[in-house]
Amino acid sequence: MTTTDENTVPATEPLAAEQSPRLEWAKHAPEVWKAMLRLDKAATQGLDPKLSELVKIRASQLNHCAFCLDMHTKDALAAGESVERIVQLAAWEESRHFYTEKELAAIELTEAVTVLTDGFVPDEVYGKAAAHFEEAELAQLISAIAVINTWNRFGVTSRLTPGHYRPGQYA
């Protein structure tokens, strides 16, 4: 059996080679990285940590950001989220019974804000979220969604390598 590190599942055959990052953007733009950390902390202030992680995971799934998926799945588990709910998140529309109506509204809003192919967030989606969140909390949720989408773009463009993150590492 081989493994690449303690975070990976044991394999019976050698695993594919790990890709190197294209650019260590945080190293070359440290003030942007620090500002993003502060913005992330401000955006998630007052939000339930498990809900925040579900939103970050869902946006990262949609944006194909492996680094952020690795990070936020580990952070969600550390915050007490269940493996089952994390796994089902990719198919949340067929797995609605795993989530509260408030969580579903947040997940649906996350998708609408993340995938702007129609150029707007539908009134129905926004209305569902507004029905479950006080205005201040909704503003924080929208901020958290915007911030994770920005992190995803850094991660995907720089091709940050997943698998080495430890829960709370950047807290």
Side-chain angles (χ1 to χ4, degrees):
M1 254 189 245
T2 61
T3 60
T4 56
D5 69 28
E6 71 237 26
N7 293 325
T8 57
V9 176
T12 56
E13 297 180 33
L15 299 175
E18 185 176 278
Q19 287 187 325
S20 297
R22 287 181 177 150
L23 173 71
E24 293 181 50
W25 77 267
K27 176 181 171 185
H28 298 289
E31 293 307 312
V32 175
W33 185 73
K34 290 175 195 172
M36 283 297 298
L37 288 173
R38 289 189 305 272
L39 182 60
D40 189 71
K41 186 173 184 176
T44 56
Q45 192 170 29
L47 290 178
D48 174 84
K50 290 198 286 189
L51 175 68
S52 178
E53 294 304 331
L54 289 175
V55 163
K56 290 175 180 182
I57 292 166
R58 186 63 191 134
S60 300
Q61 289 171 336
L62 294 167
N63 289 322
H64 305 279
C65 186
F67 181 84
C68 292
L69 279 170
D70 177 55
M71 174 188 291
H72 296 295
T73 336
K74 289 173 181 173
D75 284 346
L77 290 168
E81 188 54 80
S82 73
V83 171
E84 188 171 47
R85 284 170 32 105
I86 293 169
V87 169
Q88 291 300 319
L89 192 54
W92 68 269
E93 290 175 294
E94 293 80 26
S95 304
R96 298 177 68 83
H97 60 285
F98 286 92
Y99 309 99
T100 67
E101 290 299 322
K102 184 175 182 175
E103 290 168 334
L104 289 168
I107 293 165
E108 191 170 1
L109 183 63
T110 299
E111 288 200 6
V113 172
T114 301
V115 184
L116 290 172
T117 53
D118 291 332
F120 61 92
V121 174
D123 289 340
E124 179 184 333
V125 171
Y126 184 87
K128 283 182 193 174
H132 290 282
F133 293 88
E134 299 286 329
E135 284 188 344
E137 190 179 23
L138 182 58
Q140 291 299 123
L141 176 61
I142 293 167
S143 300
I145 295 167
V147 171
I148 189 57
N149 273 281
T150 302
W151 279 121
N152 289 164
R153 277 135 183 86
F154 285 127
V156 170
T157 304
S158 300
R159 195 186 290 138
L160 299 179
T161 308
H164 305 287
Y165 176 78
R166 304 278 184 268
Q169 181 175 334
Y170 301 120

